[in-house]
Amino acid sequence: MSEIQIWDVPAETMPREELRKLQLKRLHECVARASRVGFYREKFAKNGITANSIKSLDDLKRLPFTVKNDLRANYPFGMLAVPKSDLVRIHASSGTTGKPTLCGYTARDLDNWANLCARFLTAGGLRKEHTAQVSFGYGLFTGGFGLHYGIEKIGCAVIPISSGNSARQLLMLQDAAPDALISTPSYALNLAEALHEAGIAPGSLNLKMAFFGGEAWTEDMRHEIERSMGIMVYNNYGLSEVLGPGVSGECQCRTGMHIQEDHFLFECINPETEEPVAEGEQGELVITALTREAMPIIRYRTRDLAILDCSPCPCGRTTMRMGRVYGRTDDMMIIRGVNVFPSQIEEALLKVGGTAPHYLIELSRPKNTDRAVVKVEMRAQDFSDQMSELQALKQRIDREIRSMTGLHFDIELVAPNTLERSLGKAKRVVDMRNLKD
Ligand code: DLL
């Protein structure tokens, strides 16, 4: 662990009482800004909400939730609280179907954003003298540009390589000798594999740390990457609707991701009842972006499931932390009536070991019964193993998944390098059940 450094000491170590006062002041300003947005103006009018009626943080409960469909319904620029001419950047959220949602930023939004990214990167150990390779896509996705300006803010050199072209990624890792890799965890796995195939020992690189975010991953995956690459890996979280990366990130104590609470108000609710869960219980994160000028977002239902942790962290930051995102409410598979998250399958596979960390879950419904298959990739070195050994491996995976989920999955071991690799966020589930019909 390098010496503890904090990017913005007053903001990150503010006494909680003072923080709550600042949040209230900013919530007040946020509601005033949101009143310029037709969607919020109408909702506020219905419930008699004005900025002046916000007297305490408890008043947050009186404010309406915002869901993804509200943003879609106001596509492209209906959620702006500033004239479009005040925007200096437009990104889009990574929707899988239909139109994306556009996210606008003013110059001040971008400056805040760079500082928030600088906070979590500093917390993980990135310093001015380092070089960082950004292997997130640069484009409408917020990952590339978001991290880029945070790194520059620190004064650290950026290699803006974006994702894809692994031969060039390896060349940069070797020759430009970055200290840090910044990407999705699944893309980092691809790079680890490419290194292995090229016969490059990770220990021969200058890489010391990595910052992963943008998709759900597991603690076992962290251990696997740390072990195989000999680096320290830190988790960070964000979403384009409220900013992009920079909403929260781990410090070197790795006891959860510090939430940038002077910019975001977090709630954790039961997604069914919409009531707050008890402290320390898992629920859906609901986020209010307190300082966004271009697009104030109030009580955004993220669909991300996590636990909030208010206990003190040894690093000295006073902010609340969030645990790893366990899954999304819309990622949850219901198989023969049982709720299963892809992260449970990943955990089981990594626990058993003996395969590559690449998998794909396929769901179908022959004869009206759910069939769940996990395709797991073999490692090249094990591929020629005896049939009996492969059979035993399948049985171990089946047993582990069953103990984790209570369900039987058909395990298919597939040849090395046959599952599609992602350049950004990995696709883990193919559901062919036509459940909506
Ligand atoms: O993924 C922003 C981002 C980029 C965060 C780079 C971190 C690093 P979206 O494309 O809008 O924005 O997707 C947001 O990704 O609601 C989560 O479901 C998921 N997600 C993001 N970070 C994590 C993480 C960016 N660390 C959605 N762990 C969010 C788990 C994550 N899921």
Side-chain angles (χ1 to χ4, degrees), residues 68 92-94 120 136 141-144 147 183-184 212-217 235-241 243-246 257 302-304 322 324-328 331 425:
K68 181 90 175 174
S93 75
S94 50
F120 81 75
F136 273 127
F141 176 53
T142 51
L147 268 304
S183 68
T184 54
F212 293 162
E215 63 183 355
W217 55 306
N235 195 5
N236 71 89
Y237 167 85
L239 58 162
S240 32
E241 289 83 359
L243 181 76
M257 295 182 272
T302 64
R303 301 186 182 173
D304 291 325
M322 58 181 269
R324 210 170 253 294
V325 173
Y326 183 70
R328 291 175 55 82
D331 268 355
K425 305 188 186 213

Side-chain angles (χ1 to χ4, degrees), residues 2 35 86 136 163 174 208 291 329 413:
S2 62
S35 307
D86 283 2
F136 273 127
S163 60
Q174 287 186 293
K208 301 176 186 71
T291 51
T329 50
L413 298 176

Side-chain angles (χ1 to χ4, degrees), residues 239-294:
L239 58 162
S240 32
E241 289 83 359
V242 306
L243 181 76
V247 175
S248 67
E250 282 178 329
C251 68
Q252 290 183 321
C253 302
R254 307 207 294 188
T255 52
M257 295 182 272
H258 286 276
I259 295 167
Q260 315 291 1
E261 283 187 276
D262 51 335
H263 291 264
F264 303 100
L265 262 183
F266 266 57
E267 299 166 80
C268 190
I269 65 167
N270 175 322
E272 308 289 323
T273 64
E274 301 186 339
E275 288 300 318
V277 297
E279 206 185 311
E281 228 174 71
Q282 179 171 279
E284 178 183 346
L285 300 178
V286 175
I287 306 179
T288 300
L290 292 171
T291 51
R292 280 297 292 282
E293 271 188 344

